[in-house]
Amino acid sequence: EAQEVFGVLILNTKHKIVAVHEISRGTLNGSMVHPREVFKPAVLHNAAAIICFHNHPSGDPKPSKEDVDITKRLIEAGKIMGIEILDHIIVSDEGYASLKERCLM
């Protein structure tokens, strides 16, 4: 994609994917992400957990400070709602980065 796209994988209690939703489509280097929009499809699908993902059109999958900050905010919102965030994955032409693997969440 030429712009940043943020989405979620919706998972059931056995962590099987039941749906995939695009949450926002942004610009070359950013997209608006609000917990309300992230958790709306999760609630509608009775999700037990979600995995967040987005792309970096720049090609560098390294998480930015903003990526880490929004992930922490989503984790807090998920705790309140009883929906666990298992990971936040960033994809690019050069590979991917998992915030969980990098101990950033």
Side-chain angles (χ1 to χ4, degrees), residues 23-75:
I23 302 301
S24 68
R25 188 171 284 266
T27 62
L28 181 63
N29 62 354
S31 65
M32 292 288 297
V33 178
H34 191 280
R36 175 184 56 244
E37 302 305 321
V38 171
F39 286 100
K40 182 178 180 180
V43 169
L44 293 173
H45 286 283
N46 297 316
I50 63 173
I51 296 173
C52 301
F53 63 87
H54 77 278
N55 66 315
H56 277 180
S58 68
D60 182 2
K62 181 181 175 189
S64 68
K65 179 186 180 315
E66 291 80 13
D67 294 336
V68 174
D69 290 346
I70 189 60
T71 302
K72 289 178 180 178
R73 186 171 179 211
L74 292 172
I75 288 169

